[in-house]
Amino acid sequence: QVQVAESGGGSAQAGGSLRLSCVGSGGTGCGYEMIWYRQAPGKEREFVSSIDEIGKTRYADSVKGRFTISQDNDKKTVYLQMDSLNPEDTGMHYCKIRVYGGWWCKGTAWGQGTQVTVSS
């Protein structure tokens, strides 16, 4: 069974930086994609960025050039470095893992979320 847990949220001024972490467990021997989403108050959850087991990355247009996703395979941890933050980045940030590959590689898991608040 796969699981993920986020950390690293907090408050920042506009123009500042924060780094989020997502630690995964389970899914040994599986391919995976680790995905960051965020949800602002009163809005739908939206895709932010993702990375897979070979390091292929994707970004939402709204964060390209400002956010960088990376991973430490030994620590089974994915990082989201968020620079040049603006108030529109405020929201609960969630990590999701999706595994695939062998017959035992099933399912997805969401973390509890970590709050990011950016003030102007």
Side-chain angles (χ1 to χ4, degrees):
Q1 183 176 358
V2 293
Q3 293 181 311
V4 291
E6 310 96 335
S7 63
S11 299
Q13 296 283 329
S17 299
L18 287 171
R19 189 177 79 158
L20 306 183
S21 300
C22 176
V23 180
S25 61
T28 301
C30 300
Y32 66 84
E33 186 178 28
M34 300 279 276
I35 311 161
W36 284 100
Y37 292 85
R38 67 187 181 191
Q39 187 167 18
K43 295 187 177 181
E44 294 187 353
R45 193 170 296 188
E46 64 177 4
F47 168 79
V48 176
S49 182
S50 69
I51 190 167
D52 68 12
E53 77 278 7
I54 62 172
K56 180 179 178 181
T57 59
R58 295 187 295 139
Y59 296 94
D61 288 343
S62 60
V63 306
K64 281 181 181 176
R66 301 189 298 121
F67 291 10
T68 305
I69 192 168
S70 61
Q71 62 186 343
D72 183 329
N73 290 331
D74 290 340
K75 295 182 179 179
K76 297 183 180 180
T77 301
V78 170
Y79 304 99
L80 185 67
Q81 177 67 39
M82 306 185 295
D83 299 318
S84 301
L85 287 164
N86 59 59
E88 288 70 41
D89 296 317
T90 294
M92 188 68 78
H93 285 61
Y94 298 91
C95 181
K96 173 185 173 182
I97 185 170
R98 180 175 70 88
V99 296
Y100 45 83
W103 59 266
W104 67 96
C105 302
K106 305 294 183 184
T108 62
W110 288 88
Q112 296 288 330
T114 184
Q115 177 67 34
V116 170
T117 303
V118 183
S119 57
S120 57

